[in-house]
Amino acid sequence: MQVSTKMMGTVYVDNDCIINIPDGLFGFEEYKDFALVESEYQPFIWLQSLQDLNLAFLLIDPFLIEPNYEADIDDKELAKIDITDPSDVIVFTIVTIPNDGSAVTANFQGPLIINKKNKKCMQAILDNPRWTTKHNIVEAVKMREDK
């Protein structure tokens, strides 16, 4: 499928990379259809809205930053996107790169949960106070390398 993107013009995206977020993302509830688009900067991935070319989010696998990351989500919540088996789950976090040069962060408190079987997605809210909406990516990787 041809997808118009905010950052890379028009690109081809495999149908397996098209996802639906029935409830939308927090603050962007009206946008439901997205494409996962490879970023030119690995390991990042773009979450590109199919409804608005100018709406895109940079994502990262949180386990690459924090191997002990835990997204403990109630089964009732996961049932909203038909997840019955933990092996069907893909987890991403939204990355923020501020214009003012401050820390690059990821929202570890509000991960995106994708059902890889049906391509439905939801944004969860974690209760664990360890995970914040502004988890410093560079600092976390540096701490891990120093160990």
Side-chain angles (χ1 to χ4, degrees), residues 11 16 21 23 33 41 53 73 75-76 88 91 131 142:
V11 298
D16 285 345
I21 307 175
D23 294 332
D33 298 310
Y41 303 106
L53 155 71
I73 302 163
D75 289 344
K76 203 182 321 184
D88 293 337
V91 180
W131 309 122
K142 186 176 186 309

Side-chain angles (χ1 to χ4, degrees), residues 37-53:
V37 180
E38 290 289 328
S39 167
E40 59 275 28
Y41 303 106
Q42 295 298 321
F44 298 102
I45 294 176
W46 286 106
L47 179 68
Q48 174 65 56
S49 169
L50 297 179
Q51 296 154 277
D52 183 346
L53 155 71

Side-chain angles (χ1 to χ4, degrees), residues 73-91:
I73 302 163
D74 184 80
D75 289 344
K76 203 182 321 184
E77 284 295 305
L78 293 174
K80 291 179 181 178
I81 57 170
D82 304 321
I83 290 179
T84 56
D85 185 339
S87 68
D88 293 337
V89 172
I90 300 170
V91 180

Side-chain angles (χ1 to χ4, degrees), residues 6-70:
K6 178 179 180 178
M7 302 303 287
M8 298 181 296
T10 301
V11 298
Y12 176 80
V13 176
D14 191 82
N15 284 338
D16 285 345
C17 295
I18 305 300
I19 63 170
N20 177 262
I21 307 175
D23 294 332
L25 300 173
F26 298 116
F28 299 91
E29 291 82 1
E30 65 273 23
Y31 301 97
K32 312 286 187 192
D33 298 310
F34 290 85
L36 295 171
V37 180
E38 290 289 328
S39 167
E40 59 275 28
Y41 303 106
Q42 295 298 321
F44 298 102
I45 294 176
W46 286 106
L47 179 68
Q48 174 65 56
S49 169
L50 297 179
Q51 296 154 277
D52 183 346
L53 155 71
N54 294 310
L55 183 63
F57 300 92
L58 196 58
L59 306 179
I60 194 163
D61 177 341
F63 299 99
L64 294 176
I65 300 162
E66 291 284 352
N68 296 322
Y69 181 68
E70 293 178 8

